[in-house]
Amino acid sequence: TVGSTPAAAQGVREHEVRIEFVTPYQGKVGLRDNENSILREHRAEQGNLVVPLPNGLYEVTAEDGGAVEFRKGGRFRVHGDKLHVQL
C-alpha cells in the first residue's frame, strides 16, 4: 500500500531520510523501492519529504507525466544512518 513501509511491520531498523526537491518540478512524485513498488506519494511543491526507510536502493519518479531529470536520476541508497538527499 502507498504510505506504508513493510519493513517496519517486520521489525527492520529504519533510518530517517529527508528528500529535498532542488530540481524545478511541481507535481506528484512517487518514492519507489527496488521492486518498483510505490511506497509513498508526495507533491514536490509542498517541500521536503521526510520518511523512515530501511537500508536499500530507492528511486523518486515524477508521476504527473512529462520528462523530469532529477539529480542522480532520482536514485539514492540508504545504508545505516540518517540521510539527506537532494534531487
Side-chain angles (χ1 to χ4, degrees), residues 34-82:
N34 63 350
E35 295 178 1
N36 205 30
S37 298
I38 294 179
L39 302 175
R40 181 87 38 104
E41 291 181 331
H42 178 74
R43 304 257 350 143
E45 67 269 19
Q46 292 178 343
N48 297 343
L49 170 61
V50 180
V51 61
L53 294 172
N55 291 343
L57 301 174
Y58 299 90
E59 181 179 14
V60 171
T61 56
E63 298 297 315
D64 282 342
V68 177
E69 284 296 322
F70 291 114
R71 287 185 179 182
K72 300 179 185 175
R75 295 176 194 89
F76 62 94
R77 175 181 175 216
V78 177
H79 185 72
D81 205 355
K82 286 180 161 183

